[in-house]
Amino acid sequence: MNKPIIFTDFDGTITTEDSISGAIMPYVDKKEFMEYAKKLEKGEITLSAVVRYAYDNRPAEWLDGMLKYIDTVKIRPGFEEFLDDMEKKGIPVVVISGGFRQFSERKLAPYMKKITALHAVEMNVDGDKLKVVSGYDDGNELLKKTDVMKLYDYDFAIGIGDSYTDKNMAQAVDRCFARDVLAAYLDKTGTPYTPYEDFYDVLKGIDEIIEEQK
């Protein structure tokens, strides 16, 4: 491959669970939150609107508890080995998260030297309130991943994702690794992808892609 790059999601992809939902659930009305989630599934509301409903203007004192929750979230097996192998192959790994920088940076701290860049939404503290800030919010996606992808120069893109936030990215890359909600969506649209459960699967798949490109 000539000038390859990897774009990977964070929540539910690098981590084994979606920290955006997990961090806020102890603080919000679960029934109301699930109603918003159902509307999102039906396309009646945007992802940007759901996240802003959950986090915007919430008490800043909630943040400490959220960060403690993040400390309990697990990294998907094989991630460190994946980063080591990409470093050896000279393939940059860019993390694009529709979640919050405070969450992803905290969890990825041991790996940041091997990650080319991290793009995420900012959660600022404005007085005693939390404020969601994103320079890539198009009204649909809180962080439009395809806009971030345009910042990079590459000839062959590989995407890794799992959920709603990765739909557009998955269709903009040359090859995609997908699971869970993203895989179901790509099945419906007839978009080809490689299924994975952990990063060992991704490593095997990338080796196969490299062989194909020779």
Side-chain angles (χ1 to χ4, degrees):
M1 289 182 289
N2 186 28
K3 290 187 72 174
I5 194 170
I6 293 173
F7 297 108
T8 178
D9 174 51
F10 174 72
D11 288 293
T13 299
I14 294 175
T15 59
T16 57
E17 60 187 276
D18 185 344
S19 67
I20 303 174
S21 299
I24 199 66
M25 286 303 283
Y27 304 99
V28 296
D29 184 309
K30 292 180 176 60
K31 183 179 179 181
E32 185 178 4
F33 185 86
M34 293 311 297
E35 287 176 355
Y36 270 80
K38 288 177 181 178
K39 288 181 180 180
L40 176 64
E41 290 177 11
K42 295 177 181 178
E44 298 174 355
I45 192 171
T46 67
L47 183 62
S48 175
V50 172
V51 177
R52 288 188 181 280
Y53 146 75
Y55 284 92
D56 234 354
N57 294 313
R58 300 293 189 171
E61 62 188 24
W62 289 3
L63 184 56
D64 285 343
M66 292 177 189
L67 294 177
K68 288 178 182 177
Y69 156 77
I70 293 299
D71 290 339
T72 71
V73 174
K74 295 181 179 179
I75 295 291
R76 193 169 296 278
F79 181 63
E80 186 169 12
E81 291 87 342
F82 161 75
L83 290 178
D84 287 341
D85 196 59
M86 294 308 100
E87 188 175 45
K88 290 177 183 177
K89 288 179 167 65
I91 301 176
V93 176
V94 177
V95 179
I96 312 179
S97 175
F100 299 106
R101 182 176 298 278
Q102 286 92 333
F103 296 175
S104 51
E105 279 189 345
R106 190 178 184 93
K107 206 67 199 176
L108 294 175
Y111 314 103
M112 287 305 296
K113 289 183 179 179
K114 299 175 183 177
I115 294 172
T116 302
L118 166 63
H119 299 270
V121 178
E122 303 293 339
M123 183 164 55
N124 296 341
V125 177
D126 184 8
D128 60 353
K129 300 291 183 180
L130 298 176
K131 185 66 177 176
V132 176
V133 179
S134 174
Y136 295 95
D137 186 349
D138 67 348
N140 183 30
E141 295 181 72
L142 188 57
L143 186 145
K144 190 175 180 182
K145 297 189 176 184
T146 52
D147 280 355
V148 175
M149 291 167 62
K150 293 174 184 177
L151 301 175
Y152 294 89
D153 181 27
Y154 56 88
D155 296 315
F156 191 95
I158 297 170
I160 311 170
D162 77 301
S163 193
Y164 299 106
T165 62
D166 308 311
K167 290 178 180 179
N168 293 329
M169 178 183 76
Q171 296 178 88
V173 296
D174 297 286
R175 295 291 289 271
C176 180
F177 291 85
R179 59 181 303 280
D180 200 25
V181 173
L182 178 62
Y185 171 78
L186 296 179
D187 283 335
K188 289 181 180 179
T189 59
T191 305
Y193 67 92
T194 301
Y196 73 97
E197 283 302 319
D198 55 35
F199 278 91
Y200 296 115
D201 294 335
V202 176
L203 273 172
K204 180 180 178 182
I206 289 175
D207 283 341
E208 291 172 355
I209 292 170
I210 291 172
E211 283 300 312
E212 291 173 7
Q213 298 294 316
K214 287 182 177 179

